[in-house]
Amino acid sequence: MSGTVKDPGQLVVDLAFGFALSGALAAAVKLGIPDLIAGRPMSAEELGDELNAHASSVHRLMRSLSSLGVFSEDDQHRFHATPASVLLQRTTPNTLRDAVLMITQDIFWKPLGAFEDVVLTGRNGMERIFGKPFFDYLSENKQAGAIFHTGMSSLSDMENRLIAQSYDFSPFGTIVDVGGGHGGFLIEILKTAPSARGINYDRAHVLKDARVDELPGQWQCMEGDFFQSVPVGADAYVLKRILHDWTDETCIQILRNIRQAMAPEGRVLVADTVIPPGNEPHGGKVLDMLMMASLEGCERTEAEFSALFKQAGLKLSRVYHTPALLSLTEAVAA
């Protein structure tokens, strides 16, 4: 390994305090502070007046986040915007504000607070804490569901173009994004393959917020349940951040549905993290903790993807690593 190795004690302490930084970032976003200082630097007193908040507490929050580069503090104790805080403004294209709100909401926060129960039992904390499996809870709790789906779109916007440009989609006539959400990834794919036609396949309550005004005429939304079936006869089926939500058995059923529906020379492209071997840091290993805490699935290795494909009548053909966290794992008919 290269670089400076952190003192072991400091490593442990920094990890233990990590939740405090997540809470501070979420508070700043919820209060709208990145938007307030977008136009001009403001002191804690000015921010306190604007927010009807306790000025000293505002200063302590801002001082902490400024030390990390989220904001910056000058000699007059005024707080300025930074490139990081710009990404948290409501009006910034591809803002990450909604992603922060999603990651720090209770459906992840509370199960992680009792993570030892998850490890001991092998069961996520959703039913014990919230009384419902993850997606059932989101369907019944509209506010939590809206935060999740909007946040996922925000997170995806940061990576969609990088992933889409890492693979040649131009040979395909019809591309189905299975569980495609609001359509952001499919839009970026179709920009790279202007002669292709796309189908964004998802549940009705998700599709109602689809970005249908972008690339009009090149794609359409189709309502359905990928646990039961998928559109028939397409050349490529894309699953972005879908399989990692589910158990192996459920993933195999989804993939079997696709195998039955796909064109003879079709491709299946799974956009998920591919966990590498060894001890090197990887974002997928961190994301896997959220999956353990709140969902049924996991982040997988290349060998684990290969095993899923085999049981679904497919075979892994290649893994395309992208500049984003996610890789594209390609499968064809076995």
Side-chain angles (χ1 to χ4, degrees):
M1 293 177 61
S2 60
T4 303
V5 178
K6 183 175 286 191
D7 174 80
Q10 192 62 53
L11 170 65
V12 171
V13 171
D14 287 349
L15 288 172
F17 275 119
F19 75 99
L21 302 179
S22 297
L25 183 64
V29 170
K30 290 175 182 177
L31 292 170
I33 292 175
D35 301 292
L36 289 175
I37 67 170
R40 65 181 179 90
M42 298 177 71
S43 68
E45 289 74 18
E46 290 172 318
L47 285 168
D49 289 343
E50 191 73 29
L51 295 167
N52 192 27
H54 186 243
S56 177
S57 297
V58 172
H59 181 265
R60 292 161 69 184
L61 170 69
M62 296 297 288
R63 178 177 62 188
S64 176
L65 292 174
S66 294
S67 72
L68 299 168
V70 180
F71 306 104
S72 66
E73 183 179 6
D74 64 24
D75 292 341
Q76 285 74 49
H77 304 297
R78 297 173 303 173
F79 294 97
H80 297 249
T82 67
S85 72
V86 169
L87 289 174
L88 298 172
Q89 295 170 14
R90 292 175 185 270
T91 56
T92 298
N94 299 332
T95 177
L96 289 176
R97 174 185 180 276
D98 296 316
V100 170
L101 295 177
M102 175 197 68
I103 294 166
T104 57
Q105 68 172 320
D106 282 354
I107 54 174
F108 295 120
W109 190 275
K110 287 185 176 180
L112 283 168
F115 201 45
E116 69 278 9
D117 293 333
V118 175
V119 175
L120 287 169
T121 65
R123 300 180 62 184
N124 69 62
M126 282 300 298
E127 292 197 44
R128 180 173 51 80
I129 296 171
F130 296 98
K132 297 281 183 181
F134 188 85
F135 289 106
D136 290 350
Y137 178 82
L138 295 186
S139 294
E140 295 182 14
N141 293 267
K142 303 303 181 184
Q143 182 178 8
I147 291 171
F148 177 78
H149 291 297
T150 304
M152 283 303 302
S153 289
S154 171
L155 188 63
S156 293
D157 284 341
M158 184 174 68
E159 63 195 10
N160 283 339
R161 183 174 302 176
L162 296 173
I163 300 170
Q165 292 178 348
S166 298
Y167 184 88
D168 182 10
F169 289 93
S170 62
F172 304 131
T174 302
I175 301 168
V176 177
D177 192 345
V178 179
H182 296 166
F185 187 42
L186 183 59
I187 289 167
E188 293 300 330
I189 289 173
L190 295 174
K191 286 178 181 178
T192 74
S195 63
R197 292 294 175 265
I199 297 172
N200 188 40
Y201 187 69
D202 215 319
R203 298 287 184 91
H205 71 277
V206 178
L207 294 178
K208 68 180 178 60
D209 295 317
R211 293 154 55 174
V212 293
D213 293 335
E214 298 185 48
L215 300 185
Q218 198 175 347
W219 64 288
Q220 64 180 18
C221 291
M222 184 178 295
E223 178 185 343
D225 179 356
F226 56 65
F227 299 114
Q228 303 299 322
S229 64
V230 297
V232 174
D235 304 296
Y237 293 81
V238 179
L239 302 109
K240 181 170 180 284
R241 294 188 182 270
I242 300 295
L243 295 189
H244 77 158
D245 290 337
W246 304 104
T247 64
D248 286 357
E249 292 74 18
T250 301
C251 290
I252 292 164
Q253 184 57 54
I254 296 169
L255 292 168
R256 282 176 177 164
N257 292 339
I258 295 173
R259 174 65 184 90
Q260 184 176 4
M262 63 193 272
E265 301 300 320
R267 296 288 187 273
V268 180
L269 293 154
V270 175
D272 267 330
T273 67
V274 176
I275 302 295
N279 293 321
E280 292 300 311
H282 189 273
K285 298 175 182 179
V286 177
L287 183 58
D288 196 38
M289 299 299 95
L290 271 70
M291 310 312 293
M292 282 180 65
S294 299
L295 288 105
E296 299 177 15
C298 63
E299 305 303 317
R300 295 179 170 90
T301 65
E302 181 175 333
E304 288 168 334
F305 277 116
S306 182
L308 288 183
F309 293 143
K310 183 177 181 180
Q311 293 181 75
L314 299 160
K315 64 179 179 181
L316 188 150
S317 54
R318 184 173 173 184
V319 176
Y320 294 81
H321 297 294
T322 79
L325 175 62
L326 306 189
S327 298
L328 277 172
T329 304
E330 181 190 65
V332 298

